[in-house]
Amino acid sequence: MRIRKHVLPRTLQDAVATAFMAGIIPITFWFEVYVVIPGIHGPDSVYNWVHFVPAVLLLFNVTAHMLATMLCDTSCSTELIQLPPAGVSTAGAGTGLSSKSWHLCATCEFIAPPRSWHCASCRTCILKRDHHCVFTGCCIGHKNHRYFILFVVYLFISTLYASVLNNYFLWFVRGEEFRNWTSLVKIVFPLAMLLIDTSTKQYYLVIYLINMVGVMFTGVLLIYHGRLILSGAVVHERKAPEYDMGRAENLRMVLGNRWYIAWLSPFVASELPHNGVNWETLQKQTLKSK
């Protein structure tokens, strides 16, 4: 992995969203491990360790995949880009290939390959650009797509796990304290209530709400980006995928040749089968298979 030169978010929006993620992940881990789980099973229960092991594994994978997404340089500068032979980039007539695959980036002042576009926030052209993620402060492209989608997967599992525990802890274990109309008002207006009520109970409700919203948000993201990946498309190609090689091959294009174990950790080596530059051959194969 080649490390990005500018790792920190460049815009205020990115900085706020990334800082929020960097803060809420360890706070949620602490809340679940040291408040919720002992509150359910008791402070000295052996079941606390049964939850502790998967909690640590989830924390590791969420944090590691987020950092890998942020650190991985997926810009066009990571590859030696050579222009295709004359006629390839304008071979649209009679072949069904796009005549605007290779294009000039006026900002970077070089010819960008197919599926690569300039990002104003990252200030560079991104290989197979999917989208700009404010929660990591960087673009999702060819080389960090794997880390991003697994970050979303593990974040969904973590928030789902935490939400199940939190619902049982708040509404059943400590139901006498929280099952009232006051709690409903505090959940509907959590931040406003923090200005009035700074008790421990209000912080519990805020963390509870963040995890509930998180599981729904990451679930939608997982479905949306999962469908794109399985169809061989990126966000701006969602209406007309041009590189659909079948679900298995499309998945390998993102997770790499060792896709079956790439999900275990971002440290697992899984070489991508494509360089992210020369898509013409792949597009021809896709057209022939249709």
Side-chain angles (χ1 to χ4, degrees):
M1 178 197 298
R2 179 174 169 178
I3 306 298
R4 292 170 60 209
K5 293 182 180 179
H6 303 284
V7 178
L8 296 178
R10 290 176 175 267
T11 66
L12 179 60
Q13 182 183 16
D14 287 358
V16 171
T18 305
F20 171 78
M21 290 301 301
I24 197 59
I25 290 172
I27 288 174
T28 299
F29 174 80
W30 172 85
F31 180 63
E32 305 303 327
V33 170
Y34 293 101
V35 177
V36 176
I37 295 173
I40 294 174
H41 298 291
D44 300 320
S45 175
V46 69
Y47 290 106
N48 294 342
W49 290 100
V50 176
H51 288 284
F52 183 76
V53 173
V56 170
L57 291 176
L58 287 172
L59 175 66
F60 164 75
N61 271 295
V62 168
T63 306
H65 280 100
M66 179 181 176
L67 287 174
T69 302
M70 296 173 64
L71 294 175
C72 180
D73 189 350
T74 187
S75 66
C76 291
S77 62
T78 60
E79 292 290 334
L80 181 60
I81 298 177
Q82 296 181 345
L83 292 178
V88 171
S89 61
T90 57
T95 65
L97 297 179
S98 171
S99 61
K100 299 181 180 180
S101 293
W102 290 80
H103 54 278
L104 173 67
C105 175
T107 305
C108 296
E109 298 183 342
F110 71 89
I111 303 296
R115 313 181 82 184
S116 300
W117 300 96
H118 187 85
C119 174
S121 298
C122 295
R123 302 175 190 175
T124 187
C125 283
I126 306 296
L127 281 177
K128 200 191 79 171
R129 185 176 185 269
D130 187 76
H131 70 285
H132 184 87
C133 176
V134 296
F135 293 103
T136 56
C138 66
C139 268
I140 308 305
H142 183 63
K143 296 191 176 181
N144 66 351
H145 206 169
R146 160 197 170 183
Y147 306 124
F148 167 76
I149 193 61
L150 290 176
F151 168 58
V152 175
V153 168
Y154 279 109
L155 199 57
F156 172 73
I157 296 172
S158 300
T159 52
L160 179 62
Y161 188 11
S163 296
V164 171
L165 291 174
N166 293 345
N167 274 288
Y168 184 75
F169 175 69
L170 293 182
W171 310 126
F172 292 94
V173 176
R174 299 182 61 171
E176 294 182 0
E177 300 177 55
F178 290 95
R179 281 189 306 203
N180 50 60
W181 288 106
T182 305
S183 294
L184 179 60
V185 174
K186 290 179 178 180
I187 290 175
V188 175
F189 306 102
L191 298 180
M193 289 304 299
L194 275 176
L195 300 176
I196 304 172
D197 182 6
T198 57
S199 66
T200 303
K201 288 174 59 177
Q202 182 58 27
Y203 285 102
Y204 286 4
L205 289 172
V206 170
I207 298 175
Y208 165 79
L209 182 61
I210 289 173
N211 277 277
M212 290 297 293
V213 172
V215 71
M216 291 185 286
F217 180 67
T218 54
V220 171
L221 278 182
L222 190 57
I223 294 172
Y224 178 75
H225 287 286
R227 292 178 63 181
L228 285 175
I229 289 172
L230 292 178
S231 64
V234 291
V235 170
H236 73 274
E237 300 168 346
R238 61 188 180 276
K239 294 183 179 179
E242 300 179 13
Y243 303 92
D244 188 356
M245 300 294 292
R247 291 192 171 188
E249 187 64 20
N250 294 337
L251 189 63
R252 196 169 69 92
M253 283 287 178
V254 173
L255 299 185
N257 293 323
R258 302 176 72 194
W259 58 269
Y260 46 89
I261 59 171
W263 57 272
L264 290 172
S265 165
F267 296 104
V268 174
S270 183
E271 184 179 357
L272 294 172
H274 198 277
N275 63 2
V277 176
N278 306 108
W279 295 101
E280 293 85 1
T281 303
L282 183 63
Q283 192 178 39
K284 290 178 182 178
Q285 293 174 2
T286 305
L287 289 171
K288 288 180 181 179
S289 64
K290 293 182 178 179

